[in-house]
Amino acid sequence: MAVVVVESPAKAKTINKYLGSDYTVLASFGHVRDLPPKDGSVDPEHDFEMKWEVASDSKKHIKAITDALKDDDTLILATDPDREGEAISWHLQEALEKKLKGKNVSRVTFNAITKTAILEAMKHPRDVDAPLVEAYLARRALDYLVGFNLSPVLWRKLPGAKSAGRVQSVCLRLIVEREMEIEAFKPREYWTVKVILTTPRGQEYEARLSVLGGKKLEKYDLENETAAEMAVQAITSRDLTVTSVEAKPANRNPYPPFMTSTLQQEASRKFGFGARATMSAAQRLYEAGHITYMRTDGIDMAPEAVMQARDAIKVKFGDSYVPKSPRMYKNKAKNAQEAHECIRPTDMSKSPDKLKLSDDQWKLYDLIWKRTIASQMEAARFERTTVLVGSGDEQVELRATGSVVVFDGFLKVYDQGRDDDEGEDSNRLPQIHEGEEAKKGDITPEQHFTQPPPRYTEATLVKRMEELGIGRPSTYASIVTTIQDRGYVRKDKNRLMPEDTGRLVTAFLSNYFKRYVEYDFTADLEDQLDDISAGDRDYKEVLKRFWRDFSAALEETSELRISEVLDKIDEVLSPHLYPPRPDGSDPRICPLCGSGKLHLKTARSGGAFIGCGNYPECRFTRPLSAPDGDDEVQALDGKVLGYDEDQAITLRVGRFGPYVQKGEPTEDVPKPPRASLPKGWKPEEIDLEKALLLLSLPREIGPHPEDGELVEAGIGRYGPYVKKGRIYANLPEVDEVFTIGMNRAVEVIAQKAAKGGRGAAAKPLKELGEHPEGGPIAVMPGRYGPYVKWGKINATLPKELEPESVTLEDALPLIEAKAAKKGGTKKKAAPKKTAAKKPAAKKPAAKKTAAKKPAAKKPAAKKTATKKTDEE
């Protein structure tokens, strides 16, 4: 039997179905080799030699392939049809080099996991594409050289920074610069006037003032309320007549089918999916044979798919929705290597209602199916109407616009979501005739202020990166995820906001490595990689040019002192760090001592803060991002609230917020009693009574009536709580901590225990059965989400897996990966079973060893991929 190798066990299972018993289909679980994460893995001194290492998890997969080849002379590499897939095939060839002597090795690719596509691909074997592999090697070397040389500079010169990456840092710059635009934005006031008009037939419609004093109004002409009121008077004092009614036909053509970036954008708009979640669901749909390959820059569609779509439209919606000729979409990709077909269903007749999928996968398939079908439908037809209403002296004119859908066309199936203010006028107007009277109703002046540019969502960030030519389809998800995982960016209400560390890193790189975070430079490097994959450029030459300049930039920073770096960043970020004060005073003067100058400082634990230059005489500090009125709060630092047992009770303000303290540090008591102010308690309203209440926590309520164990109330990291042993139950209000009685406490604790709270024996969400080596496996509820439990092994469920849909087959690879990560073996972690039961559990595996072995290591492939993309 010929041995076919693909990336994942899910893909292997689907393909094995189509190829039958003449083939053995095995999974490589992603890359079998990678660059060790240490110095010297890429050696610029020896022609950029790259030292590859077979991952420990991959050795068993290579052995499975080697064993299978003992009985067969043919190896078919059937990994994904892109640059990364080509690289995986190349790595397999290299790792198996000694075992492949005298064997037939070929490479096949297919854009969809369907029987037709796979059997057709088997008829056209080829060699591994050298230019594609070289493009991969160049990208890998570049990302390594940047990541492993620039990150240590950050660690040394900028305490608290974690890493830098070739594309990751440019993406971070986009977010930071957008935030700085928002902070620097000065809103401008302007007014508009809208009028409700009535036709002689009693139908109302809305119009806006467009001409005043015979002059067309510009946006800021009505700059204040006085000007707006004068406009209202001008309208009120005049009779109005319809002077013009103009109706024009208009068409809206459908959107092209999805490619990677547009799929990520639309899934974010419509479902709030992050780029990673979208690609994970798409990967599963592809491996199950439901959609074509999901990493693509292409928007063209195979002719047979176009005809399938047209047939499906005709059956479902009728002939009027099928255009006379098929719609053709021009591919945007600069390079054919990732210019595959669009992302579409493999079978257009399979509407979403015919498939049983997990929630996220169903939503994504439904979106892909609708977009694909809509892309081949008739245009939507509208009638856009503009009505002008004016006074006889031509001093005042109002404008009303609207549109009516004459034929819905593709909109019957699908309309694209919009980012921010991309909406269009869809008002419907009544029947209006030129020359008729327009009776005035309510006249309403409205105040407006110009708005700053919106923060990026993952959708708009991917869109902007695509516009700038930064990154490629296979990298968008990992780039956006990495800057969040590094703590440089946080997501708030689906908007991306830079953390202080992200600002510092961007400021550092923009000043000392400016060229390498420039958008044009990064985009040009992407184009050079595309040229390599097309065979038009030598990859070693690209690496040499890059390293020559980059190493020189590294050398220039070697003598930099941390104080120099902080002074420079302090200067660059000054508008953010020291915003203007309401009273007009110098924002850099310390609000506590009144004489010291505020500076950017670093903490021993890493990170940075703002501190007074008169330290240690003045100990004023605050976080980098100070909230409004923060300086006034800081001025309360050290305020004496009163005395208790002859010790001063003071209000303090630290880097982590305000707190109360009893006494001062001494040799005997280096850390005096302290208590943070709970959320909602204003520092200026804290008095001695409230301070003593806080310092008295946790408060003893008494022994539990059932077992006598002490019940307490307090305020913790996650807010107010009541506690018994290891069971913590949240309280809705802070004040209840000081008033809650035993009856209420017992009730709250019992409710938490019933839900499986911390310290309570949680009930399984689903029991999956016995592990092959003994012991039950179950899906459990957890504080950070559901997980699979086997003995002492707890493996978190991926977001795309619903707890109710998890099977034993899904759970085993997760458990094995978790056990491997802990450095132990399954037998050590699991409860032991009798020897009699072991053969029964393993018996089915013996029949299908090839399929079993790969299936037990799925997460390991994800780990390898993460290591690769972190350096983007």
Side-chain angles (χ1 to χ4, degrees), residues 220-291:
Y220 302 109
D221 283 352
L222 301 181
E223 59 184 4
N224 52 42
E225 187 175 9
T226 303
E229 286 298 337
M230 289 175 66
V232 170
Q233 290 301 320
I235 298 169
T236 305
S237 62
R238 288 169 169 81
D239 293 329
L240 301 174
T241 306
V242 176
T243 59
S244 170
V245 179
E246 185 178 11
K248 289 183 178 179
N251 287 352
R252 259 183 73 189
N253 288 317
Y255 302 94
F258 282 129
M259 57 181 176
T260 303
S261 59
T262 52
L263 176 64
Q264 290 176 4
Q265 291 164 39
E266 192 68 345
S268 175
R269 294 183 193 110
K270 281 192 160 65
F271 312 130
F273 287 1
R276 176 194 276 174
T278 299
M279 295 310 289
S280 177
Q283 177 85 34
R284 287 173 175 266
L285 290 171
Y286 166 67
E287 290 177 347
H290 296 313
I291 64 171

Side-chain angles (χ1 to χ4, degrees), residues 504-744:
L504 295 178
V505 168
T506 297
F508 175 83
L509 295 175
S510 295
N511 279 277
Y512 298 106
F513 292 90
K514 184 178 180 181
R515 184 184 183 196
Y516 301 96
V517 288
E518 286 179 347
Y519 305 132
D520 289 349
F521 176 81
T522 308
D524 180 64
L525 203 51
E526 291 288 354
D527 289 341
Q528 291 182 47
L529 292 171
D530 287 346
D531 289 343
I532 293 168
S533 68
D536 297 333
R537 196 183 287 262
D538 182 84
Y539 87 99
K540 293 283 182 74
E541 287 301 317
V542 171
L543 292 175
K544 284 174 186 174
R545 278 199 304 274
F546 177 87
W547 180 248
R548 181 188 63 213
D549 297 336
F550 184 64
S551 57
L554 289 169
E555 186 63 31
E556 288 174 10
T557 63
S558 60
E559 301 301 320
L560 277 175
R561 296 194 300 273
I562 292 178
S563 59
E564 290 179 72
V565 172
L566 290 178
D567 286 344
K568 185 65 178 177
I569 294 175
D570 198 30
E571 176 188 336
V572 172
L573 295 182
S574 180
H576 165 68
L577 300 177
Y578 315 106
R581 290 178 178 165
D583 60 4
S585 60
D586 185 350
R588 296 197 70 149
I589 295 299
C590 175
L592 186 58
C593 68
S595 60
K597 194 172 182 181
L598 300 180
H599 290 280
L600 180 65
K601 298 174 179 281
T602 55
R604 289 181 182 176
S605 58
F609 62 95
I610 302 299
C612 180
N614 284 344
Y615 179 87
E617 289 75 18
C618 178
R619 294 177 175 269
F620 174 86
T621 61
R622 69 164 171 79
L624 297 189
S625 296
D628 293 339
D630 188 76
D631 286 348
E632 288 75 8
V633 172
Q634 291 290 342
L636 297 172
D637 189 35
K639 178 183 176 182
V640 177
L641 302 173
Y643 291 85
D644 182 57
E645 298 175 348
D646 296 328
Q647 288 188 303
I649 306 298
T650 54
L651 176 66
R652 304 297 178 99
V653 182
R655 290 200 298 280
F656 304 106
Y659 61 94
V660 291
Q661 178 174 301
K662 182 176 181 178
E664 295 293 335
T666 63
E667 287 188 12
D668 295 332
V669 187
K671 293 185 178 180
R674 293 177 175 178
S676 296
L677 267 60
K679 191 175 182 180
W681 286 30
K682 296 179 179 179
E684 60 271 20
E685 296 176 359
I686 297 297
D687 55 20
L688 179 62
E689 182 183 359
K690 288 182 177 178
L692 290 175
L693 281 174
L694 290 174
L695 290 165
S696 69
L697 297 178
R699 168 180 161 253
E700 293 186 4
I701 299 173
H704 195 279
E706 291 180 5
D707 54 17
E709 191 169 7
L710 182 64
V711 178
E712 297 176 312
I715 301 172
R717 181 179 177 186
Y718 302 104
Y721 66 85
V722 63
K723 166 183 178 288
K724 171 185 171 285
R726 294 179 59 210
I727 300 178
Y728 287 77
N730 293 333
L731 294 173
E733 301 292 338
V734 171
D735 292 347
E736 196 172 1
V737 170
F738 309 107
T739 59
I740 189 170
M742 182 59 73
N743 288 342
R744 164 78 172 143

Side-chain angles (χ1 to χ4, degrees), residues 167-433:
V167 185
Q168 159 198 326
S169 300
V170 182
C171 180
L172 175 61
R173 180 189 166 192
L174 278 170
I175 296 167
V176 170
E177 287 188 344
R178 175 58 58 89
E179 195 70 20
M180 293 175 76
E181 284 180 59
I182 293 169
E183 290 170 351
F185 182 80
K186 302 294 182 190
R188 184 173 176 181
E189 181 183 8
Y190 67 99
W191 289 70
T192 59
V193 179
K194 73 176 184 181
V195 184
I196 301 299
L197 300 173
T198 307
T199 70
R201 293 160 296 287
Q203 295 171 301
E204 291 186 344
Y205 58 100
E206 182 182 293
R208 291 186 177 269
L209 180 64
S210 59
V211 172
L212 182 63
K215 178 190 169 189
K216 183 181 177 183
L217 280 179
E218 301 297 337
K219 184 172 183 177
Y220 302 109
D221 283 352
L222 301 181
E223 59 184 4
N224 52 42
E225 187 175 9
T226 303
E229 286 298 337
M230 289 175 66
V232 170
Q233 290 301 320
I235 298 169
T236 305
S237 62
R238 288 169 169 81
D239 293 329
L240 301 174
T241 306
V242 176
T243 59
S244 170
V245 179
E246 185 178 11
K248 289 183 178 179
N251 287 352
R252 259 183 73 189
N253 288 317
Y255 302 94
F258 282 129
M259 57 181 176
T260 303
S261 59
T262 52
L263 176 64
Q264 290 176 4
Q265 291 164 39
E266 192 68 345
S268 175
R269 294 183 193 110
K270 281 192 160 65
F271 312 130
F273 287 1
R276 176 194 276 174
T278 299
M279 295 310 289
S280 177
Q283 177 85 34
R284 287 173 175 266
L285 290 171
Y286 166 67
E287 290 177 347
H290 296 313
I291 64 171
T292 53
Y293 192 54
M294 68 289 164
R295 291 190 179 94
T296 174
D297 279 338
I299 55 173
D300 60 311
M301 200 187 304
E304 62 270 21
V306 172
M307 298 315 294
Q308 275 188 23
R310 289 170 63 84
D311 290 343
I313 295 164
K314 185 176 180 179
V315 170
K316 204 166 185 68
F317 306 107
D319 290 339
S320 61
Y321 287 87
V322 183
K324 290 179 181 178
S325 58
R327 292 187 178 277
M328 304 302 293
Y329 295 96
K330 188 178 179 183
N331 185 32
K332 287 183 178 180
K334 295 178 183 178
N335 183 348
Q337 82 84 17
E338 283 181 313
H340 309 300
E341 197 184 347
C342 64
I343 303 170
R344 62 165 178 84
T346 52
D347 184 349
M348 297 296 175
S349 65
K350 282 188 181 177
S351 55
D353 56 295
K354 295 181 180 178
L355 294 180
K356 289 184 179 180
L357 300 165
S358 67
D359 187 50
D360 284 1
Q361 289 179 52
W362 190 90
K363 284 180 178 178
L364 202 66
Y365 182 81
D366 182 61
L367 189 68
I368 293 167
W369 186 85
K370 285 178 177 175
R371 174 89 165 214
T372 308
I373 289 290
S375 73
Q376 289 299 323
M377 291 178 75
E378 268 287 9
R381 295 193 293 276
F382 298 83
E383 188 178 74
R384 300 194 192 279
T385 306
T386 301
V387 178
L388 299 180
V389 180
S391 59
D393 59 4
E394 298 184 350
Q395 294 297 297
V396 169
E397 186 176 85
L398 308 177
R399 183 186 183 92
T401 58
S403 61
V404 176
V405 177
V406 178
F407 175 67
D408 53 4
F410 76 94
L411 293 175
K412 192 173 188 71
V413 177
Y414 173 88
D415 193 12
Q416 179 170 287
R418 295 184 175 89
D419 297 313
D420 307 313
D421 296 324
E422 292 181 7
E424 58 185 47
D425 184 11
S426 59
N427 293 328
R428 186 161 186 169
L429 296 174
Q431 192 174 33
I432 302 170
H433 301 296

Side-chain angles (χ1 to χ4, degrees), residues 34-53 90-91 134 136-149 539-540 542-544 546-547 550-551 554 868 871:
D34 199 4
L35 294 171
K38 61 184 180 183
D39 287 338
S41 294
V42 177
D43 189 356
E45 302 301 319
H46 294 86
D47 202 27
F48 299 94
E49 180 186 352
M50 302 171 79
K51 298 174 183 175
W52 301 98
E53 181 178 87
W90 175 77
H91 276 301
E134 289 175 354
Y136 158 81
L137 294 173
R139 181 185 291 277
R140 205 62 192 87
L142 286 169
D143 293 339
Y144 175 92
L145 291 171
V146 173
F148 279 86
N149 288 281
Y539 87 99
K540 293 283 182 74
V542 171
L543 292 175
K544 284 174 186 174
F546 177 87
W547 180 248
F550 184 64
S551 57
L554 289 169
K868 172 182 72 63
E871 290 149 19

Side-chain angles (χ1 to χ4, degrees), residues 22-81:
D22 290 340
Y23 296 85
T24 301
V25 186
L26 301 175
S28 71
F29 290 81
H31 284 281
V32 295
R33 302 193 308 174
D34 199 4
L35 294 171
K38 61 184 180 183
D39 287 338
S41 294
V42 177
D43 189 356
E45 302 301 319
H46 294 86
D47 202 27
F48 299 94
E49 180 186 352
M50 302 171 79
K51 298 174 183 175
W52 301 98
E53 181 178 87
V54 176
S56 57
D57 294 342
S58 298
K59 289 177 181 176
K60 65 168 72 174
H61 307 311
I62 289 178
K63 185 177 185 303
I65 297 168
T66 304
D67 291 345
L69 284 169
K70 286 178 182 176
D71 301 322
D72 202 280
D73 289 337
T74 302
L75 174 64
I76 301 171
L77 302 167
T79 50
D80 286 342

